[in-house]
Amino acid sequence: MAEDTYSHKMVTANRRRCRTKFTEDQLKILINTFNQKPYPGYATKQKLALEINTEESRIQIWFQNRRARHGFQKRPEAETLESSQSQGQDQPGVEFQSREARRCRTTYSATQLHTLIEAFMKNPYPGIDSREELAKEIGVPESRVQTEDTQNGTNFTSDSHFSGARTW
DNA sequence: AGGCTAACCTATTCAAATA
DNA sequence: TATTTGAATAGGTTAGCCT
């Protein structure tokens, strides 16, 4: 990291997480679960993670990609027979299954927030290495660091954020 | 009751592995 | 090189905690 002083604009120096390579067996389980519930709750994702021996965040990403690409609207013929009268609304099947519980909301301590904010000011786009280090430092899973930084932006500028604090 | 914001979502793009 | 697909980003929605 000798040459990587705080660059002013782009921080491309940050490595992405390595691509996960799912095995055939893992994919079989994932796809099977997806066909049953394309929006798994936290408990389901945790169970899946344990079952196929991967991280819950990888499963979250996999479901996101799957939903975006393999349009889950085309129901598997397994269990859509009963609700065949869903009159083809534009709504992507909101009703066929109520949402499962999400992960418990984590509350960050002032110290944790301070650490996150400081790291964010130094680098708003941390790579996998920085995120893992940060996560270890404040004692939360890496996936929490990622979403926190890149999505919710933590408007540290005590000033009133202009509309949309995430427009960097 | 309302504000703040973590968790979750879609849409889109980047990019690594593979055919 | 084109395709496939995991990872990342931007921005919107849902819902839990606190005042």
Side-chain angles (χ1 to χ4, degrees):
Chain A
M1 55 180 74
E3 29 69 77
D4 183 41
T5 57
Y6 40 87
S7 53
H8 11 282
K9 37 182 61 181
M10 212 41 247
V11 198
T12 43
N14 289 301
R15 224 184 66 232
R16 284 184 167 213
R17 152 187 262 114
C18 290
R19 272 179 80 97
T20 301
K21 175 78 177 187
F22 292 111
T23 67
E24 229 173 278
D25 288 342
Q26 287 175 318
L27 281 175
K28 214 162 67 179
I29 292 172
L30 284 170
I31 291 169
N32 191 38
T33 309
F34 181 88
N35 288 338
Q36 292 173 38
K37 36 172 102 169
Y39 292 92
Y42 181 58
T44 302
K45 283 184 281 189
Q46 281 282 69
K47 210 175 65 179
L48 261 179
L50 206 67
E51 189 177 348
I52 70 176
N53 192 32
T54 187
E55 297 165 35
E56 181 259 333
S57 56
R58 299 308 91 213
I59 289 172
Q60 169 101 346
I61 296 293
W62 186 88
F63 271 82
Q64 282 176 192
N65 283 324
R66 183 87 184 175
R67 284 196 298 263
R69 285 160 182 158
H70 299 250
F72 61 94
Q73 58 221 41
K74 54 170 183 208
R75 307 288 173 71
E77 58 273 54
E79 56 177 358
T80 43
L81 309 177
E82 40 171 27
S83 62
S84 58
Q85 81 290 13
S86 56
Q87 74 264 7
Q89 283 289 46
D90 339 325
Q91 286 295 58
V94 193
E95 50 153 357
F96 73 97
Q97 198 149 223
S98 58
R99 210 167 278 189
E100 289 184 67
R102 18 171 98 185
R103 166 197 288 266
C104 286
R105 191 186 166 106
T106 58
T107 45
Y108 294 102
S109 69
T111 324
Q112 287 173 320
L113 278 178
H114 179 76
T115 307
L116 284 169
I117 290 165
E118 210 161 63
F120 179 82
M121 286 192 287
K122 273 191 245 170
N123 178 6
Y125 298 94
I128 181 63
D129 301 313
S130 321
R131 293 200 307 266
E132 268 174 351
E133 196 173 331
L134 200 52
K136 197 159 123 189
E137 188 177 343
I138 67 175
V140 303
E142 178 274 326
S143 59
R144 299 307 90 197
V145 174
Q146 175 165 23
T147 62
E148 190 58 25
D149 280 358
T150 62
Q151 296 191 17
N152 293 329
T154 58
N155 41 354
F156 46 89
T157 50
S158 56
D159 217 340
S160 62
H161 54 67
F162 41 91
S163 61
R166 277 172 284 171
T167 314
W168 313 107

